[in-house]
Amino acid sequence: MDERDIIFYHADMDRDAVKRKNELLRKFNYECKDKRERVEVIRQLFGHVGKNPSVTPLLYCDLGSMISIGDDFYSNYNLVILDCAKVTIGDNAFIGPNVGIYAVGHAIDPEYRRNNVEFGIPITIGNDVWIGGHAVVNPGVTIGNNVVIGSGAVVTHDVPDNVIVAGNPARVIRSITPDDKKYFAKINGVQREYPQDYIERVMGKK
């Protein structure tokens, strides 16, 4: 992380931008009748939206305009993105329920905190990333390509490509290898059963 990327600001944001965001979120969360209508709102709310997005209500964000998502983005229920700094998510993201992506923080010093001084640091998430339910991604983190974030993980540091991370704070459990592909091969459209040894490896027991 480059210190030049840190944004300091007062918690009283642009009131017009916040009002617009609140109106769009209300429409998205409670008024849209189908996916097509929700996609229309997301394209107004986010700074950039790729092809074929699928965002499940409920959704919460600070501004929306600082969020960029790539092609074939999917998020489950109750995604929270605090985008006081830029949040960039690549193609083929798969985000579980109740995930928090927080590009914002408060001062550790209580005097500054009482005076509503906040900071934002960009978050970057690569292509083909699956973030499990209830995981948290903290300010300034960069997550590489082809990464699995385990449920409930708290990601405080950068994550390299091709790994599974889990825990609090999140740590690398193992690499993702070509062996993972063969267990998910399909025959006549029916998925094979997962061998017990593979399940144990996914769960970090081996």
Side-chain angles (χ1 to χ4, degrees):
M1 179 189 68
D2 192 324
E3 289 187 359
R4 291 172 294 184
D5 292 332
I6 302 175
I7 302 167
F8 290 94
Y9 61 92
H10 193 274
D12 287 336
M13 298 181 188
D14 183 330
R15 294 184 184 275
D16 289 338
V18 172
K19 180 180 178 181
R20 176 180 179 275
K21 177 265 300 187
N22 287 339
E23 291 173 350
L24 289 170
L25 283 180
R26 182 178 65 251
K27 183 175 182 180
F28 176 86
N29 286 328
Y30 302 110
E31 298 176 10
C32 289
K33 299 180 179 66
D34 53 33
K35 179 180 176 180
R36 180 187 59 78
E37 291 186 1
R38 289 194 293 270
V39 169
E40 289 179 0
V41 175
I42 287 298
R43 292 195 182 279
Q44 296 176 59
L45 179 63
F46 288 179
H48 171 79
V49 178
K51 296 180 294 185
N52 192 35
S54 182
V55 182
T56 306
L58 300 170
L59 167 72
Y60 305 95
C61 60
D62 272 335
L63 294 171
S65 59
M66 301 288 278
I67 300 169
S68 173
I69 61 174
D71 296 343
D72 298 308
F73 174 92
Y74 172 78
S75 64
N76 212 314
Y77 304 105
N78 299 320
L79 173 62
V80 177
I81 304 179
L82 303 186
D83 59 318
C84 294
K86 192 167 181 62
V87 175
T88 304
I89 303 174
D91 298 338
N92 307 307
F94 198 92
I95 299 180
N98 300 299
V99 166
I101 299 173
Y102 306 147
V104 61
H106 302 275
I108 292 176
D109 179 82
E111 182 178 353
Y112 279 103
R113 195 165 59 243
R114 287 195 300 269
N115 288 318
N116 292 325
V117 176
E118 299 181 356
F119 64 87
I121 314 177
I123 290 173
T124 301
I125 298 171
N127 299 324
D128 297 297
V129 174
W130 172 21
I131 303 179
H134 291 272
V136 171
V137 180
N138 278 305
V141 165
T142 294
I143 296 172
N145 298 316
N146 190 30
V147 169
V148 175
I149 308 295
S151 298
V154 178
V155 185
T156 59
H157 293 87
D158 292 353
V159 177
D161 296 345
N162 304 312
V163 295
I164 298 172
V165 302
N168 182 6
R171 61 182 180 85
V172 174
I173 302 298
R174 68 171 179 89
S175 296
I176 296 172
T177 72
D179 288 341
D180 291 299
K181 186 183 293 290
K182 67 181 181 180
Y183 293 108
F184 287 86
K186 294 182 179 180
I187 300 176
N188 297 324
V190 179
Q191 201 161 22
R192 294 174 177 170
E193 291 185 5
Y194 307 146
Q196 185 61 34
D197 66 327
Y198 177 71
I199 295 172
E200 290 177 354
R201 285 204 306 133
V202 169
M203 299 300 291
K205 297 179 180 179
K206 292 187 72 173

